[in-house]
Coordinates of all heavy atoms in Angstrom, one line a residue:
M1 N 25.7 -10.4 14.6 CA 24.6 -10.9 14.0 C 23.3 -10.2 14.4 O 22.3 -9.9 13.6 CB 24.4 -12.5 14.3 CG 23.3 -13.1 13.6 SD 23.6 -13.1 11.8 CE 22.2 -14.0 11.4
M2 N 23.2 -9.9 15.7 CA 22.1 -9.2 16.3 C 21.8 -7.8 15.7 O 20.8 -7.3 15.4 CB 22.2 -9.1 17.8 CG 21.0 -8.4 18.5 SD 19.6 -9.6 18.2 CE 18.5 -9.1 19.6
K3 N 23.0 -7.1 15.5 CA 23.0 -5.8 14.9 C 22.4 -5.8 13.4 O 21.6 -4.9 13.0 CB 24.4 -5.1 14.9 CG 24.8 -4.7 16.2 CD 26.1 -4.0 16.1 CE 26.7 -3.7 17.5 NZ 28.0 -3.0 17.4
I4 N 22.7 -6.8 12.7 CA 22.2 -7.0 11.3 C 20.7 -7.2 11.3 O 20.0 -6.6 10.6 CB 23.0 -8.1 10.6 CG1 24.5 -7.7 10.4 CG2 22.3 -8.5 9.3 CD1 25.3 -8.9 9.9
T5 N 20.3 -8.1 12.3 CA 18.9 -8.4 12.4 C 18.1 -7.2 12.7 O 17.1 -6.9 12.1 CB 18.7 -9.4 13.5 OG1 19.5 -10.6 13.1 CG2 17.2 -9.8 13.5
I6 N 18.6 -6.3 13.7 CA 17.9 -5.1 14.0 C 17.9 -4.1 12.9 O 16.9 -3.5 12.6 CB 18.6 -4.5 15.3 CG1 18.4 -5.5 16.5 CG2 18.1 -3.1 15.6 CD1 19.1 -5.1 17.7
A7 N 19.0 -4.1 12.2 CA 19.0 -3.1 11.0 C 18.0 -3.6 9.9 O 17.3 -2.7 9.4 CB 20.5 -3.1 10.5
L8 N 18.0 -4.9 9.7 CA 17.0 -5.3 8.7 C 15.5 -5.0 9.1 O 14.7 -4.6 8.3 CB 17.3 -6.8 8.4 CG 18.5 -7.1 7.6 CD1 18.6 -8.7 7.6 CD2 18.4 -6.6 6.2
L9 N 15.2 -5.3 10.3 CA 13.9 -5.0 10.9 C 13.6 -3.6 10.8 O 12.5 -3.2 10.4 CB 13.8 -5.5 12.3 CG 13.7 -7.0 12.6 CD1 13.7 -7.3 14.0 CD2 12.3 -7.4 11.9
F10 N 14.5 -2.7 11.1 CA 14.3 -1.3 11.0 C 13.9 -0.8 9.5 O 13.1 -0.1 9.3 CB 15.5 -0.5 11.5 CG 15.4 1.0 11.4 CD1 14.8 1.8 12.3 CD2 16.0 1.7 10.3 CE1 14.6 3.1 12.2 CE2 15.9 3.0 10.2 CZ 15.2 3.7 11.1
I11 N 14.7 -1.4 8.6 CA 14.5 -1.1 7.2 C 13.1 -1.6 6.7 O 12.4 -0.8 6.0 CB 15.6 -1.7 6.3 CG1 16.9 -1.0 6.6 CG2 15.3 -1.6 4.8 CD1 18.2 -1.6 6.0
L12 N 12.8 -2.8 7.1 CA 11.5 -3.3 6.6 C 10.3 -2.6 7.3 O 9.3 -2.4 6.7 CB 11.4 -4.8 7.0 CG 12.4 -5.7 6.3 CD1 12.3 -7.1 6.8 CD2 11.9 -5.8 4.8
L13 N 10.4 -2.2 8.6 CA 9.4 -1.5 9.2 C 9.2 0.0 8.9 O 8.2 0.5 9.1 CB 9.4 -1.6 10.7 CG 9.4 -3.1 11.2 CD1 9.6 -3.1 12.7 CD2 7.9 -3.7 10.8
N14 N 10.3 0.5 8.3 CA 10.2 2.0 7.9 C 10.2 2.2 6.4 O 10.7 3.2 6.0 CB 11.4 2.6 8.5 CG 11.3 2.7 10.0 OD1 10.3 3.3 10.5 ND2 12.3 2.3 10.8
N15 N 9.6 1.3 5.7 CA 9.4 1.5 4.3 C 8.3 2.5 3.9 O 7.6 3.0 4.9 CB 9.3 0.2 3.5 CG 7.9 -0.5 3.9 OD1 6.9 0.1 3.9 ND2 8.1 -1.8 4.1
D16 N 8.1 2.8 2.6 CA 7.1 3.8 2.3 C 5.7 3.5 2.7 O 4.7 4.2 2.7 CB 7.2 4.0 0.8 CG 6.5 5.3 0.4 OD1 6.7 6.4 0.9 OD2 5.6 5.2 -0.5
C17 N 5.4 2.1 2.9 CA 4.1 1.6 3.1 C 3.9 1.2 4.6 O 3.1 0.3 5.0 CB 3.7 0.5 2.3 SG 3.8 0.9 0.6
S18 N 4.6 1.8 5.5 CA 4.5 1.5 6.9 C 3.1 1.9 7.5 O 2.4 2.6 6.9 CB 5.7 2.2 7.8 OG 5.5 3.6 7.7
M19 N 2.8 1.2 8.6 CA 1.5 1.5 9.3 C 1.4 2.8 9.9 O 1.8 3.0 11.1 CB 1.2 0.3 10.2 CG -0.2 0.3 10.7 SD -1.2 0.1 9.3 CE -2.7 -0.5 10.2
L20 N 1.2 3.9 9.2 CA 1.1 5.2 9.7 C -0.5 5.5 10.0 O -1.3 4.8 9.6 CB 1.6 6.2 8.7 CG 3.1 6.0 8.3 CD1 3.4 6.9 7.1 CD2 3.9 6.2 9.4
P21 N -0.7 6.5 10.7 CA -2.1 6.9 11.0 C -2.9 6.9 9.7 O -4.1 6.6 9.7 CB -2.0 8.3 11.6 CG -0.7 8.3 12.3 CD 0.2 7.5 11.4
A22 N -2.5 7.3 8.5 CA -3.2 7.3 7.3 C -3.7 5.9 6.9 O -4.8 5.7 6.4 CB -2.4 7.9 6.2
A23 N -2.8 5.0 7.2 CA -3.2 3.5 6.9 C -4.3 3.1 7.8 O -5.0 2.2 7.3 CB -1.9 2.6 7.0
Q24 N -4.3 3.6 8.9 CA -5.5 3.1 9.9 C -6.7 3.7 9.5 O -7.7 3.2 9.8 CB -5.1 3.5 11.3 CG -3.8 2.8 11.8 CD -3.3 3.3 13.1 OE1 -3.7 4.3 13.6 NE2 -2.3 2.6 13.7
G25 N -6.8 4.8 8.7 CA -8.0 5.4 8.3 C -8.5 4.9 7.0 O -9.4 5.5 6.4
A26 N -8.1 3.8 6.6 CA -8.5 3.3 5.2 C -9.9 2.9 5.2 O -10.4 2.7 4.1 CB -7.6 2.1 4.9
S27 N -10.7 2.8 6.3 CA -12.1 2.6 6.2 C -12.9 3.7 5.7 O -14.0 3.5 5.3 CB -12.6 2.2 7.6 OG -12.4 3.2 8.5
D28 N -12.4 4.9 5.6 CA -13.0 6.1 5.0 C -13.2 5.8 3.6 O -12.3 5.8 2.8 CB -12.2 7.3 5.3 CG -12.9 8.6 4.8 OD1 -14.1 8.5 4.3 OD2 -12.2 9.6 4.8
E29 N -14.4 5.6 3.2 CA -14.7 5.2 1.7 C -14.4 6.3 0.7 O -14.3 6.0 -0.4 CB -16.3 4.9 1.7 CG -16.6 3.7 2.5 CD -16.0 2.4 2.1 OE1 -15.8 2.1 1.0 OE2 -15.4 1.7 3.1
K30 N -14.2 7.5 1.1 CA -13.9 8.6 0.1 C -12.4 8.9 0.1 O -11.9 9.7 -0.6 CB -14.6 10.0 0.6 CG -16.1 9.8 0.6 CD -16.7 9.6 -0.7 CE -18.2 9.5 -0.7 NZ -18.8 9.0 -1.9
E31 N -11.6 8.1 0.9 CA -10.2 8.3 1.0 C -9.5 8.0 -0.5 O -9.9 7.0 -1.1 CB -9.5 7.5 1.9 CG -8.0 7.6 2.1 CD -7.4 6.8 3.2 OE1 -8.2 6.3 4.0 OE2 -6.1 6.8 3.2
T32 N -8.6 8.7 -0.9 CA -7.9 8.4 -2.1 C -6.9 7.4 -1.9 O -6.1 7.3 -0.9 CB -7.1 9.7 -2.6 OG1 -8.0 10.8 -2.8 CG2 -6.3 9.4 -3.8
V33 N -6.9 6.4 -2.8 CA -6.0 5.3 -2.8 C -5.5 5.1 -4.3 O -6.0 5.8 -5.2 CB -6.6 3.9 -2.3 CG1 -7.1 4.1 -0.9 CG2 -7.8 3.6 -3.2
Y34 N -4.5 4.2 -4.4 CA -3.9 3.9 -5.8 C -4.1 2.5 -6.2 O -3.9 1.6 -5.4 CB -2.5 4.4 -5.8 CG -2.3 5.8 -5.4 CD1 -2.3 6.2 -4.0 CD2 -2.3 6.8 -6.3 CE1 -2.1 7.6 -3.6 CE2 -2.2 8.2 -6.0 CZ -2.1 8.5 -4.6 OH -2.1 9.8 -4.3
V35 N -4.3 2.3 -7.4 CA -4.3 1.0 -8.1 C -3.5 0.9 -9.2 O -3.2 2.0 -9.8 CB -5.9 0.6 -8.4 CG1 -6.7 0.5 -7.1 CG2 -6.5 1.5 -9.4
C36 N -3.1 -0.2 -9.7 CA -2.3 -0.4 -10.9 C -3.2 -0.1 -12.1 O -4.3 -0.6 -12.2 CB -1.8 -1.8 -10.9 SG -0.7 -2.0 -12.4
G37 N -2.8 0.7 -13.0 CA -3.5 1.2 -14.2 C -3.8 0.2 -15.2 O -4.5 0.3 -16.1
S38 N -3.1 -1.0 -15.1 CA -3.2 -2.1 -16.1 C -4.6 -2.7 -16.0 O -5.1 -3.4 -16.9 CB -2.2 -3.1 -15.9 OG -2.4 -3.9 -14.7
G39 N -5.2 -2.6 -14.9 CA -6.6 -3.2 -14.6 C -6.5 -4.6 -14.1 O -7.5 -5.3 -13.8
N40 N -5.3 -5.2 -14.0 CA -5.1 -6.5 -13.6 C -4.8 -6.6 -12.0 O -4.8 -7.8 -11.6 CB -4.0 -7.1 -14.4 CG -4.3 -7.3 -15.9 OD1 -5.4 -7.5 -16.2 ND2 -3.3 -7.2 -16.7
G41 N -4.6 -5.6 -11.4 CA -4.2 -5.6 -10.1 C -5.4 -6.1 -9.1 O -6.5 -5.8 -9.5
K42 N -5.0 -6.7 -8.0 CA -6.0 -7.1 -7.1 C -6.0 -6.4 -5.8 O -6.8 -6.7 -4.8 CB -5.8 -8.6 -6.8 CG -6.0 -9.5 -8.0 CD -5.7 -11.0 -7.7 CE -6.0 -11.7 -9.0 NZ -5.3 -13.0 -9.0
R43 N -5.1 -5.4 -5.7 CA -4.9 -4.7 -4.4 C -5.0 -3.2 -4.7 O -4.8 -2.7 -5.7 CB -3.5 -4.9 -3.8 CG -3.2 -6.4 -3.7 CD -3.9 -7.0 -2.5 NE -3.3 -8.4 -2.3 CZ -4.0 -9.2 -1.6 NH1 -5.1 -9.0 -1.1 NH2 -3.5 -10.5 -1.5
Y44 N -5.4 -2.5 -3.6 CA -5.2 -1.0 -3.6 C -4.3 -0.6 -2.6 O -3.9 -1.3 -1.7 CB -6.6 -0.3 -3.4 CG -7.3 -0.6 -2.0 CD1 -6.9 0.3 -0.9 CD2 -8.2 -1.5 -1.8 CE1 -7.6 0.0 0.3 CE2 -8.8 -1.7 -0.6 CZ -8.5 -0.9 0.5 OH -9.1 -1.1 1.7
H45 N -3.7 0.6 -2.8 CA -2.5 1.1 -2.1 C -2.8 2.4 -1.4 O -3.4 3.2 -2.2 CB -1.3 1.0 -2.9 CG -1.1 -0.2 -3.6 ND1 -0.3 -1.3 -3.1 CD2 -1.6 -0.7 -4.7 CE1 -0.3 -2.3 -3.9 NE2 -1.1 -2.0 -5.0
L46 N -2.3 2.7 -0.3 CA -2.6 3.9 0.4 C -1.6 5.0 0.0 O -1.9 6.2 0.1 CB -2.5 3.8 1.9 CG -3.5 2.7 2.5 CD1 -3.2 2.5 4.0 CD2 -4.9 3.2 2.2
K47 N -0.5 4.5 -0.6 CA 0.6 5.5 -1.0 C 0.9 5.2 -2.5 O 1.0 4.0 -2.9 CB 1.8 5.3 -0.2 CG 1.5 5.6 1.3 CD 2.8 5.9 2.1 CE 2.5 6.0 3.5 NZ 2.7 7.3 4.0
E48 N 1.1 6.2 -3.3 CA 1.3 6.2 -4.7 C 2.6 5.4 -5.0 O 2.8 4.7 -6.0 CB 1.5 7.5 -5.3 CG 1.6 7.5 -6.8 CD 1.5 8.9 -7.4 OE1 1.7 9.8 -6.7 OE2 1.4 9.0 -8.6
H49 N 3.6 5.4 -4.1 CA 4.9 4.7 -4.3 C 5.0 3.6 -3.4 O 6.2 3.2 -3.0 CB 6.0 5.8 -4.0 CG 5.9 6.9 -5.0 ND1 6.2 6.8 -6.3 CD2 5.6 8.2 -4.9 CE1 6.0 8.0 -7.0 NE2 5.6 8.8 -6.0
C50 N 4.0 2.9 -3.1 CA 4.1 1.7 -2.2 C 4.9 0.6 -2.9 O 4.7 0.5 -4.1 CB 2.6 1.2 -1.9 SG 2.6 -0.4 -1.0
R51 N 5.6 -0.1 -2.2 CA 6.5 -1.2 -2.8 C 5.6 -2.3 -3.4 O 6.0 -3.1 -4.3 CB 7.5 -1.8 -1.8 CG 6.9 -2.4 -0.6 CD 7.9 -2.6 0.4 NE 8.5 -3.9 0.3 CZ 9.3 -4.5 1.2 NH1 9.7 -3.8 2.2 NH2 9.8 -5.7 1.1
G52 N 4.3 -2.4 -3.0 CA 3.4 -3.3 -3.6 C 3.1 -3.0 -5.1 O 2.6 -3.9 -5.8
L53 N 3.3 -1.8 -5.5 CA 3.1 -1.4 -6.9 C 4.4 -1.6 -7.7 O 4.3 -1.3 -9.0 CB 2.7 0.1 -7.0 CG 1.2 0.4 -6.6 CD1 1.0 1.9 -6.2 CD2 0.3 -0.1 -7.6
N54 N 5.4 -2.1 -7.2 CA 6.7 -2.3 -8.0 C 6.4 -3.2 -9.3 O 7.2 -3.0 -10.2 CB 7.7 -2.9 -7.1 CG 8.3 -1.9 -6.2 OD1 8.1 -0.7 -6.3 ND2 9.1 -2.4 -5.2
N55 N 5.5 -4.2 -9.1 CA 5.3 -5.1 -10.3 C 4.3 -4.5 -11.3 O 4.0 -5.2 -12.3 CB 4.9 -6.4 -9.8 CG 6.0 -7.1 -9.1 OD1 7.1 -7.0 -9.4 ND2 5.7 -8.0 -8.1
C56 N 3.8 -3.4 -11.0 CA 2.7 -2.8 -11.9 C 3.4 -2.3 -13.2 O 4.3 -1.5 -13.1 CB 2.0 -1.7 -11.3 SG 0.8 -0.9 -12.3
S57 N 3.0 -2.8 -14.3 CA 3.6 -2.3 -15.6 C 3.1 -1.0 -16.1 O 3.6 -0.4 -17.1 CB 3.4 -3.4 -16.7 OG 2.1 -3.7 -16.9
A58 N 2.0 -0.6 -15.5 CA 1.3 0.7 -16.0 C 1.5 1.7 -14.8 O 2.1 1.4 -13.7 CB -0.1 0.5 -16.2
K59 N 1.0 2.9 -15.0 CA 1.2 4.0 -14.0 C 0.0 3.7 -12.9 O -1.0 3.3 -13.2 CB 0.9 5.3 -14.7 CG 1.1 6.6 -13.8 CD 1.0 7.8 -14.5 CE 1.1 8.9 -13.5 NZ 1.0 10.3 -14.3
A60 N 0.3 4.1 -11.7 CA -0.6 4.0 -10.6 C -1.7 5.0 -10.9 O -1.5 6.2 -11.3 CB 0.0 4.3 -9.3
V61 N -3.0 4.6 -10.6 CA -4.1 5.5 -10.8 C -4.9 5.8 -9.5 O -5.0 4.8 -8.7 CB -5.1 4.8 -11.8 CG1 -6.4 5.6 -12.0 CG2 -4.4 4.4 -13.1
K62 N -5.3 7.1 -9.4 CA -5.9 7.4 -8.2 C -7.3 7.0 -8.2 O -8.0 7.1 -9.3 CB -5.9 9.0 -8.0 CG -4.7 9.7 -7.4 CD -5.0 11.1 -7.3 CE -3.8 11.8 -6.8 NZ -4.1 13.3 -6.6
T63 N -7.9 6.5 -7.1 CA -9.3 6.2 -7.1 C -9.6 6.3 -5.6 O -9.0 6.9 -4.7 CB -9.6 4.8 -7.6 OG1 -11.0 4.5 -7.7 CG2 -8.9 3.7 -6.8
T64 N -10.9 5.9 -5.2 CA -11.3 5.9 -3.8 C -11.4 4.4 -3.3 O -11.4 3.5 -4.1 CB -12.8 6.5 -3.6 OG1 -13.6 5.7 -4.4 CG2 -12.8 8.0 -4.3
V65 N -11.4 4.3 -2.0 CA -11.5 3.0 -1.4 C -12.8 2.3 -1.9 O -12.8 1.1 -2.2 CB -11.4 3.1 0.1 CG1 -11.7 1.8 0.8 CG2 -10.1 3.7 0.6
E66 N -13.8 3.1 -1.9 CA -15.1 2.6 -2.2 C -15.0 1.9 -3.7 O -15.6 0.8 -3.8 CB -16.2 3.7 -2.2 CG -17.6 3.2 -2.6 CD -18.6 4.4 -2.4 OE1 -18.2 5.6 -2.6 OE2 -19.8 4.0 -2.2
K67 N -14.6 2.7 -4.6 CA -14.4 2.2 -6.0 C -13.5 1.0 -6.1 O -13.8 0.0 -6.7 CB -13.9 3.3 -6.9 CG -14.9 4.3 -7.2 CD -14.4 5.3 -8.1 CE -15.4 6.5 -8.4 NZ -14.9 7.5 -9.3
A68 N -12.4 1.0 -5.4 CA -11.5 -0.1 -5.4 C -12.1 -1.4 -4.8 O -12.0 -2.4 -5.3 CB -10.2 0.3 -4.6
K69 N -12.9 -1.2 -3.7 CA -13.6 -2.4 -3.1 C -14.6 -2.9 -4.1 O -14.8 -4.1 -4.2 CB -14.1 -2.1 -1.8 CG -13.0 -1.9 -0.7 CD -13.7 -1.6 0.6 CE -12.6 -1.5 1.7 NZ -13.2 -1.2 3.1
K70 N -15.3 -2.1 -4.8 CA -16.4 -2.5 -5.7 C -15.8 -3.3 -6.8 O -16.4 -4.1 -7.4 CB -17.1 -1.3 -6.3 CG -18.2 -0.7 -5.4 CD -18.9 0.4 -6.0 CE -19.9 1.0 -5.0 NZ -20.6 2.2 -5.6
E71 N -14.5 -3.0 -7.2 CA -13.7 -3.8 -8.2 C -13.2 -5.0 -7.7 O -12.5 -5.7 -8.4 CB -12.7 -2.8 -8.8 CG -13.2 -1.7 -9.6 CD -12.1 -0.8 -10.0 OE1 -10.9 -1.0 -9.8 OE2 -12.5 0.3 -10.6
G72 N -13.4 -5.3 -6.4 CA -12.9 -6.6 -5.7 C -11.5 -6.4 -5.3 O -10.9 -7.5 -4.9
K73 N -11.0 -5.3 -5.1 CA -9.6 -5.1 -4.6 C -9.6 -5.1 -3.1 O -10.5 -4.6 -2.5 CB -9.0 -3.9 -5.3 CG -8.9 -3.9 -6.8 CD -8.3 -2.7 -7.4 CE -8.3 -2.6 -8.9 NZ -8.1 -3.8 -9.6
T74 N -8.5 -5.5 -2.6 CA -8.3 -5.5 -1.2 C -7.0 -4.7 -0.9 O -6.2 -4.5 -1.7 CB -8.1 -6.9 -0.6 OG1 -7.1 -7.6 -1.3 CG2 -9.5 -7.7 -0.8
L75 N -6.9 -4.3 0.4 CA -5.7 -3.6 0.8 C -4.4 -4.3 0.7 O -4.3 -5.5 1.0 CB -5.8 -3.1 2.3 CG -4.7 -2.4 2.9 CD1 -4.5 -1.0 2.2 CD2 -4.9 -2.1 4.4
C76 N -3.4 -3.7 0.2 CA -2.1 -4.2 -0.1 C -1.5 -4.9 1.2 O -1.7 -4.3 2.3 CB -1.1 -3.1 -0.6 SG 0.6 -3.6 -0.6
G77 N -0.9 -6.0 1.0 CA -0.3 -6.8 2.2 C 0.8 -6.0 2.9 O 1.0 -6.1 4.1
W78 N 1.4 -5.1 2.2 CA 2.5 -4.3 2.9 C 1.9 -3.3 3.7 O 2.6 -2.7 4.6 CB 3.4 -3.7 1.8 CG 4.2 -4.7 0.9 CD1 4.0 -5.0 -0.3 CD2 5.3 -5.5 1.5 NE1 4.9 -6.0 -0.7 CE2 5.7 -6.3 0.4 CE3 6.0 -5.5 2.6 CZ2 6.7 -7.1 0.4 CZ3 7.0 -6.4 2.8 CH2 7.5 -7.2 1.7
E79 N 0.7 -2.9 3.7 CA 0.1 -1.8 4.3 C -0.9 -2.3 5.4 O -1.5 -1.5 6.0 CB -0.6 -0.9 3.4 CG 0.4 -0.3 2.3 CD -0.4 0.5 1.3 OE1 -1.1 0.1 0.6 OE2 0.0 1.7 1.3
K80 N -1.0 -3.6 5.6 CA -2.0 -4.1 6.7 C -1.4 -3.9 8.0 O -0.2 -3.9 8.2 CB -2.3 -5.5 6.4 CG -3.1 -5.7 5.2 CD -3.5 -7.1 5.1 CE -4.6 -7.3 3.9 NZ -4.9 -8.6 3.7

């Protein structure tokens, strides 16, 4: 049972949106981030293929942290 738990933790912590140095630099207002192109999303993402974008019915669109925040978007929960 312990091996399964460790394996699951490893998988969850090593996904595409893990807390890498790039994620820590999200305060840089000129940094490129991604939002759902449908216009309905409430989050921005540090990686184009973040699992938080799985429910987006449109293509992910590049923008900046500054623009995303002006639109009321916050950082994806998978990347905090």
Side-chain angles (χ1 to χ4, degrees):
M1 182 68 177
M2 185 67 157
K3 289 181 182 180
I4 294 171
T5 304
I6 292 172
L8 287 174
L9 283 172
F10 178 80
I11 291 168
L12 289 173
L13 293 174
N14 288 307
N15 64 45
D16 194 57
C17 299
S18 61
M19 190 61 157
L20 298 172
Q24 295 170 351
S27 62
D28 181 8
E29 299 298 312
K30 300 295 181 190
E31 181 178 349
T32 298
V33 295
Y34 300 88
V35 297
C36 181
S38 70
N40 297 327
K42 296 179 180 159
R43 307 284 187 201
Y44 65 87
H45 308 268
L46 302 176
K47 299 191 185 250
E48 186 176 14
H49 300 288
C50 175
R51 65 194 263 185
L53 284 165
N54 285 348
N55 291 330
C56 178
S57 58
K59 186 176 178 181
V61 178
K62 280 185 185 181
T63 188
T64 64
V65 173
E66 182 178 26
K67 287 180 184 177
K69 286 182 177 180
K70 281 183 182 177
E71 294 174 6
K73 298 181 187 319
T74 57
L75 179 62
C76 170
W78 293 107
E79 299 176 296
K80 287 185 178 181

